[in-house]
């Protein structure tokens, strides 16, 4: 009886004929990069500082401050949605269906609550200045900190006409599509 791994002469011959002309692959390891020089580190630090300054300037220009003390009521049995009193309620349905593609998208992943609040104010300011009627705010789900705070901030803004939980292609229940009054 032969073992499972034993091959007869015919099988070995067939194997050798099939791999004829095959060469071993030569290993080409890439050596690790040397540590960054002090100049490059200082340059990178300077670049980060400049980006931080630009972000702070953009947020300061937004000038709208949201209150953390305000809490709106949203039906927990319904998708997250809001229509400003006096606005057309049909617009929320159009947001839900995804009829309005967002002109700008803000991803809040990794931001702290206070930074997210400033970024939203800056986004709304920029969107209105650029005449963008719909924006998408991706707040994520996580521990529900931003998921609960973002809608409470949005209902306070005078130019927010409506918002609705985004369709799946824009983030599903981890995002909101926001309709703005740009006129």
């Amino acid at each position: 009886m032969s073992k499972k791994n034993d091959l007869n002469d015919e099988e070995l011959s067939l194997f050798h004929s099939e791999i004829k002309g095959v060469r071993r692959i030569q290993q080409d390891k890439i050596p690790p990069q040397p540590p960054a020089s002090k100049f490059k580190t200082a340059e990178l630090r300077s670049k980060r500082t400049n980006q931080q300054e630009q972000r702070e300037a953009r947020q300061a220009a937004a000038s709208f401050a949201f209150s953390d003390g305000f809490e709106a009521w949203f039906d927990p049995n319904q998708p997250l949605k809001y229509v400003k009193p006096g606005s057309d309620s049909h617009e929320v349905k159009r947001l839900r269906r995804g009829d309005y593609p967002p002109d700008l998208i803000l991803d809040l992943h990794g931001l702290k609550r206070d930074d997210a609040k400033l970024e939203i104010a800056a986004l709304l300011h920029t969107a209105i200045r650029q005449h963008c009627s719909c924006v998408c705010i991706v707040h994520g789900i996580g521990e529900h900190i931003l998921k609960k705070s973002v809608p409470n901030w949005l209902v306070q803004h005078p130019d927010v006409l409506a918002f609705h939980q985004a369709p799946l292609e824009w983030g599903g229940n981890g995002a909101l599509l926001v309709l703005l009054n740009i006129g």
Side-chain angles (χ1 to χ4, degrees):
M1 250 164 75
S2 67
K3 292 182 183 177
K4 211 176 195 183
N5 294 345
D6 288 344
L7 301 174
N8 62 30
D9 291 337
E10 185 181 317
E11 290 171 330
L12 278 173
S13 154
L14 178 62
F15 174 74
H16 287 293
S17 70
E18 290 295 320
I19 65 165
K20 189 176 185 178
V22 174
R23 294 179 297 147
R24 283 183 177 244
I25 297 175
Q26 190 171 18
Q27 179 65 323
D28 57 348
K29 292 184 180 178
I30 300 172
Q33 294 290 330
S37 69
K38 290 180 183 177
F39 174 75
K40 285 184 180 178
T41 305
E43 184 180 300
L44 187 62
R45 192 176 303 121
S46 170
K47 192 176 187 179
R48 281 191 203 130
T49 304
N50 190 23
Q51 288 173 343
Q52 180 70 18
E53 287 172 1
Q54 287 175 347
R55 187 170 137 221
E56 288 172 0
R58 190 175 71 243
Q59 290 170 346
S63 76
F64 187 83
F66 296 109
S67 168
D68 287 326
F70 178 78
E71 257 191 64
W73 183 84
F74 299 102
D75 188 349
N77 300 321
Q78 297 286 323
L80 192 54
K81 62 183 174 181
Y82 164 79
V83 179
K84 184 176 184 174
S87 297
D88 186 8
S89 62
H90 183 67
E91 297 301 325
V92 162
K93 292 177 184 174
R94 295 184 70 197
L95 277 173
R96 183 192 73 221
R97 290 192 308 243
D99 290 351
Y100 293 111
D103 298 309
L104 298 172
I105 298 173
L106 174 63
D107 188 349
L108 300 175
H109 284 96
L111 293 182
K112 293 186 170 140
R113 191 171 184 268
D114 290 334
D115 291 336
K117 186 188 331 181
L118 293 173
E119 285 295 321
I120 290 171
L123 169 77
L124 296 176
H125 175 75
T126 302
I128 292 163
R129 200 177 72 231
Q130 294 180 2
H131 301 287
C132 300
S133 61
C134 183
V135 296
C136 181
I137 299 175
V138 182
H139 50 71
I141 298 172
E143 296 178 17
H144 296 283
I145 294 168
L146 292 178
K147 186 176 174 78
K148 290 179 182 176
S149 299
V150 170
N152 290 322
W153 296 331
L154 290 174
V155 298
Q156 297 174 47
H157 199 282
D159 293 315
V160 172
L161 296 177
F163 61 79
H164 197 285
Q165 178 180 310
L168 284 177
E169 68 261 23
W170 299 112
N173 64 0
L176 292 173
L177 283 182
V178 183
L179 190 63
L180 299 170
N181 181 12
I182 56 171

